[in-house]
Amino acid sequence: MTTLPPREPFALAHATVITGDATGTTLEDTTVIVGGDGRIATVAPSLATPIPDGCHMLDATGKVVMPGLINAHAHLFSDGKPLNPKLATPQGQRATAALMHSPLGRPYLAARAKASVMAQLNSGVTTLRTLGDVAYEAVALRNRIEADAMVGPRILASGPLLAVPEGHGAPLIALTGDDPATLASHTRTNIEHGANAIKIAATGGVTDAQKLGEAGSPQMSVDQMRAICDVAHEAGVIVGAHAQSPEGVRRALEAGVDTIEHGSALDDAMIGLFRHNPRALRGWSALIPTLSAGLPLTEIDQKTTGITDIQLSNSRTVVSGMVAGAADARKAGIRVGVGTDAAMTFVTQYGTWRELDLLVKRAGFSTAEAIHAATQVNAEILGVGDTTGSIEAGKAADLLVLDANPIIDLRALRQPALVVADGRPVWRPRIRRFDDIDALLDRAFRE
């Protein structure tokens, strides 16, 4: 396996630096020096900061530097174009799963996953958590990145999610079981294959629901999920749970999951469990709303989205709860992170900035709070806050260089001028866009 050339030290001089805190603190005329180890060496006023010998100086006058984005919920098996509803049926999933695990399908899957990861990177995502993989393709990519065989984001890879038979995500991206012992065994299998994140399907979902009310309907008991959490937590691995109803969220929190994916409207008891969850790995749980995955299904014409009548009806119920839950969590001071559910219909691999925009437009966040959620808060939620999420000496150089200030307009995030991942610059990042999808989303979420 070939390796990349050694990192070289460089400095971003005379930049406006966004720290990523909740109040939108910026540092004017600041120089960020990155060492040859890929870590930030200095963050200081430019006039008082000489550039060391042998350090490449990049003049960032008029540019904005901020922490790299963190996407806490993504899939790699598709690019965000509308998914075929026929493939979401149990029969369709079985056929697709058989193809993906075949000698012809495995190379395609690996190539598709790599393309998705590179789209995330070029759009400014320097840390990524996958939550539901076909196999262990994300683990393989993570290992290549960590071995300096390719430039890429820091990856927390889940492997297949854990579901009940015929449950959400099964069988295409799931290992299934009915009893706690089997689900615990599947958790060990994922960890043995290198997974450093775990995903549970606590409830039904919109995409593969085949009847009204299935989305959000609880599919796992507290005991089943607790068996998964106990194994994962023993290995120091956080657990996310797909949960799209109050009962599903409550059960998952009682089981000890660390992140609720999608969510629902919250009551006082659920808020209390988010704040203090004795069975969670860190004693608290967080919410990842994924508004990007839900709102297009309810706010773009059904003929365009291609979803079925059942999917549309289910999505209307679920999405209203997701939006309410994000707003409830913000007001309650619960940790709210940013994840897009990339690969779902109209959720492109390059559209992480849209999730921040939707938190502002639909859940009451300020732009600074949304950026904070996608950087420092996400880093804390994923357990990588000591490494990334902010621009501080000693942290990994996960950086974005932008032409404008996203605190003023989040659309500045659409096209980074430069992405730096663990000290490795991605010069002139290129994004292959889907103009038709972008135009639809722009119109739908203009206000």
Side-chain angles (χ1 to χ4, degrees):
M1 182 168 56
T2 59
T3 59
L4 298 167
R7 295 171 178 82
E8 296 183 11
F10 65 92
L12 297 167
H14 305 292
T16 296
V17 172
I18 293 176
T19 64
D21 66 9
T23 60
T25 299
T26 58
L27 309 174
E28 301 296 332
D29 197 9
T30 295
T31 291
V32 179
I33 298 177
V34 177
D37 59 355
R39 293 190 171 269
I40 297 170
T42 304
V43 182
S46 296
L47 292 177
T49 308
I51 306 300
D53 292 341
C55 185
H56 301 283
M57 196 277 281
L58 305 177
D59 186 356
T61 301
K63 304 291 187 182
V64 175
V65 177
M66 64 170 281
L69 297 175
I70 299 173
N71 188 343
H73 188 135
H75 304 277
L76 306 180
F77 55 76
S78 186
D79 54 16
K81 293 179 181 178
L83 299 174
N84 186 340
K86 293 181 180 178
L87 297 181
T89 65
Q91 299 89 340
Q93 288 200 51
R94 279 192 287 272
T96 305
L99 175 62
M100 290 298 99
H101 289 284
S102 73
L104 288 175
R106 284 191 292 270
Y108 168 82
L109 179 62
R112 176 67 264 164
K114 182 178 179 181
S116 295
V117 164
M118 297 312 295
Q120 293 272 346
L121 176 67
N122 279 270
S123 65
V125 172
T126 56
T127 299
L128 177 70
R129 179 176 61 159
T130 68
L131 286 179
D133 304 322
V134 176
Y136 301 101
E137 61 277 11
V139 171
L141 284 167
R142 183 202 65 209
N143 292 346
R144 290 192 65 199
I145 293 165
E146 290 182 351
D148 284 338
M150 61 179 283
V151 179
R154 182 174 294 98
I155 296 178
L156 283 76
S158 74
L161 62 82
L162 305 177
V164 298
E166 303 297 320
H168 176 61
L172 179 58
I173 56 171
L175 302 177
T176 62
D178 283 311
D179 60 281
T182 299
L183 292 165
S185 177
H186 287 330
T187 308
R188 294 187 190 95
T189 295
N190 275 352
I191 293 171
E192 288 166 1
H193 278 83
N196 54 347
I198 294 292
K199 167 80 172 294
I200 295 172
T203 73
V206 169
T207 305
D208 51 8
Q210 300 300 304
K211 58 185 179 181
L212 292 176
E214 183 177 348
S217 176
Q219 292 184 340
M220 274 204 197
S221 68
V222 172
D223 287 344
Q224 287 171 317
M225 289 187 280
R226 187 167 289 173
I228 296 167
C229 290
D230 286 349
V231 172
H233 292 164
E234 185 177 355
V237 173
I238 64 170
V239 179
H242 166 105
Q244 294 183 319
S245 66
E247 178 62 15
V249 170
R250 182 192 64 78
R251 291 187 189 186
L253 290 171
E254 289 184 1
V257 303
D258 304 287
T259 63
I260 294 292
E261 310 300 314
H262 316 303
S264 69
L266 305 179
D267 60 25
D268 289 343
M270 286 188 280
I271 289 170
L273 273 174
F274 272 105
R275 288 174 172 164
H276 176 65
N277 191 339
R279 299 198 69 94
L281 185 61
R282 278 82 57 90
W284 47 265
S285 299
L287 176 67
I288 312 294
T290 69
L291 302 183
S292 296
L295 285 166
L297 302 182
T298 61
E299 300 194 16
I300 295 176
D301 183 80
Q302 186 182 3
K303 292 180 180 178
T304 303
T305 61
I307 62 175
T308 66
D309 291 343
I310 289 174
Q311 288 173 328
L312 177 59
S313 179
N314 282 332
S315 66
R316 285 172 174 159
T317 301
V318 164
V319 171
S320 63
M322 288 165 57
V323 174
D328 292 344
R330 175 188 173 273
K331 291 176 184 176
I334 293 167
R335 293 168 179 84
V336 180
V338 168
T340 63
D341 214 358
M344 296 295 104
T345 292
F346 291 158
V347 191
T348 64
Q349 298 289 348
Y350 58 82
T352 301
W353 77 272
R354 288 191 185 276
E355 184 70 15
L356 281 68
D357 191 50
L358 291 174
L359 288 173
V360 171
K361 291 176 176 175
R362 304 304 173 88
F365 284 61
S366 68
T367 54
E369 288 171 338
I371 292 168
H372 181 55
T375 55
Q376 293 183 9
V377 177
N378 260 0
E380 181 187 18
I381 290 170
L382 298 186
V384 295
D386 291 341
T387 301
T388 191
S390 59
I391 301 179
E392 301 176 57
K395 295 280 184 77
D398 294 336
L399 309 169
L400 300 187
V401 180
L402 308 172
D403 291 323
N405 190 336
I407 293 176
I408 297 172
D409 187 345
L410 286 168
R411 286 175 294 183
L413 291 166
R414 288 174 63 109
Q415 180 60 68
L418 173 67
V419 178
V420 182
D422 199 25
R424 292 193 180 277
V426 180
W427 306 108
R428 294 178 292 279
R430 292 179 295 177
I431 299 171
R432 177 175 171 265
R433 301 183 185 279
F434 306 130
D435 292 340
D436 53 346
I437 292 177
D438 289 341
L440 282 169
L441 295 174
D442 287 343
R443 287 195 296 271
F445 305 132
R446 186 171 289 114
E447 298 299 334

